[in-house]
Amino acid sequence: MNIALERLLEAIVATLRNDVIPHVGDAYARGQAVGVIDLINNIGPRIEWARAPLMEAVTEKTALLAAVAPLLPGMEAPGEAAAVERLSSAELAAERDRLDAAIGDALALAHGAGDEGRTALAMIVRHLHDEQARAMKTTRKPLFAEIASGRDDKEK
Amino acid sequence: MSASFDPFDTETIRTRIAGFIAGQGVAEVAVGPLRRFTVGFSWVTFGFRASWREAGGTVERDLILRAGPPNGIFGPYRAFPEFTTLRALAGSGVPVPTVYWYSDETEVLGAPFFICDLVPGEAPIPWTHDGGPAFDDATRVALGSQFVSALAALHSFRWQGTPVAAIGGETDPTRTAAVQVDTWERLLGEWSPSRVPMLEHAAIWLRAHAPVAPRIAIVHGDFRIGNFLVDGGRITAILDWELVRLGDPMEDLGWICLQAWRGRSPHMCHFFTREELCERYAALTGAPVDLRAVRYWEAFGTYKLAVMHYGATHCFEKRGFNDLRMAGMGAQIPRMLLQVESAMERAV
């Protein structure tokens, strides 16, 4: 999830305010929806995206680049690893993005190289797969059927 | 002067559309209240009733207004390709709504738009509550037959020498795939603030394995369950032509095969196995289908759908499109990237 938390919460509040609450007939239910807005407004300033997965991503990408650099002549040295413990979530996300750009460059080199390039490519592809597989552990099944039909999952 | 498009201000839209229709060579135009349909992630759709006098008689119709909002996922939009294709396909074997007027100017609504007939029917969707089949067997067979017949008719349509020749796309059979990869890679660059190595890997792979198109046809670009209407057991209209262009017809076959359109069903778009789909299509068009090319286009389609997820995220985060479904698509990007990887593996 790469969307800025601030924007996400702002849109949730706007959706409740403009698209949901005006159409809720029951006064108690309407009040509860306003209660959700009230909570979001107070939670917002106190939270940030979880740091642990971002730290893990930065650590793994740094290690990957260090491992493939000797296999890819012409690849820029990955540089010193960031001190992840001292970085905020936003700084970690920026570092992850910087490393992803370096991985993209390494990919392009690996595709055009020989045997060592193929080894590097396999390592990079493995990393990309593992990263998304890890992200899937926190990705819930989409509720598209319920969103499209406007009905609860248990209804038919 | 350019107008600004506000999809919530239906009264202003109604007034402007009435004025626009009156300028199309008809008289005594009356446009009823607009109601907005919540379908679709991209164009904004309104229904309304209108009447006008034409050739000495009064015409009264239930109509659809489709407008491409400036902040929509694929904006800036053009109505010309969709309108021109729908007009050309009228009376063909492809069920389409009758189209009336269009404009790509921003003076009228602040957004390109076209007007067509309201076609009766419901749109079956690919997502089911339990992830299982969308149809019972009898419905699957009946609708599946119509679905592939419509596609075969579209791809058999002789577009050469018709206005469709001007809708855009790529007519060099050796370039159709590369141009599509270039297009969606450029869009990814516009929509994603950071680089996406998995999709960079996919783009390199797609360029290296690009097939030559067996012929050039009208490509719908989003031909799947969810984009047609069914009424009384019949497909009454194929919808959502916003990605239409000239290109490799195998692209539409590959798109039908995406994992995203079938859930856990073994049937592509809940209709056929991959082999059945290709066999039926080949029988209807008289043109053999290269399964490897279909697998390639399935991998490309999965890449394209992944890029669309970045588009939805960008639309939500940067363009003020306040639809939470867009943010929801952003949350599914890991699933999409893994599907891109597995589609490439299947296509090797």
Side-chain angles (χ1 to χ4, degrees), chain A residues 1-4 7-8 10-12 14-15 18-19 96-97 100-105 107-108 111 121 125 128-129 132-133 135-136 139-142 144-149 151-156, chain B residues 8 41 125 127-131 193-198 200-201 204-205 264 309-310 313 315-338 341 345:
Chain A
M1 193 69 154
N2 277 338
I3 298 170
R7 166 66 185 134
L8 200 56
E10 169 202 283
I12 292 170
T15 298
N18 302 326
D19 300 337
R96 175 203 58 198
D97 292 349
D100 266 341
I103 291 171
D105 292 342
L107 254 175
H111 269 282
L121 183 60
V125 169
L128 298 177
H129 172 89
Q132 300 312 323
M136 281 303 295
T139 303
R140 299 292 171 255
K141 180 174 163 274
F144 292 147
E146 194 176 340
I147 290 169
S149 68
R151 290 198 314 258
D152 187 272
D153 263 358
K154 293 179 279 301
E155 295 175 39
K156 287 284 173 187
Chain B
F8 294 100
F41 288 78
I125 55 172
W127 314 288
T128 58
H129 289 291
D130 59 3
S194 53
R195 288 173 60 183
V196 188
M198 181 75 94
E200 292 184 20
H201 173 53
I204 293 169
W205 185 92
R264 292 203 309 270
H309 278 61
Y310 283 92
T313 307
C315 216
F316 174 84
E317 186 165 26
K318 305 289 185 197
R319 285 183 262 166
F321 204 86
N322 217 28
D323 186 336
L324 291 181
R325 294 176 302 174
M326 299 286 188
M329 285 175 75
Q332 296 302 322
I333 283 173
R335 189 186 309 278
M336 283 310 311
L337 295 182
L338 288 175
E341 185 189 31
E345 286 169 0

Side-chain angles (χ1 to χ4, degrees), chain B residues 2-78:
Chain B
S2 174
S4 71
F5 179 67
D6 179 357
F8 294 100
D9 187 0
T10 52
E11 188 50 32
T12 298
I13 295 173
R14 189 189 72 78
T15 306
R16 288 178 177 168
I17 282 297
F20 172 78
I21 295 174
Q24 305 305 307
V26 297
E28 297 178 31
V29 175
V31 171
L34 267 61
R35 61 188 189 285
R36 185 173 170 185
F37 292 98
T38 55
V39 295
F41 288 78
S42 189
W43 287 60
V44 180
T45 306
F46 302 93
F48 62 99
R49 189 156 181 82
S51 63
W52 62 88
R53 281 191 68 77
E54 186 177 10
T58 299
V59 179
E60 194 161 0
R61 289 269 192 278
D62 284 318
L63 298 176
I64 289 290
L65 165 68
R66 297 255 292 161
N71 61 352
I73 186 167
F74 300 127
Y77 292 99
R78 286 170 69 222

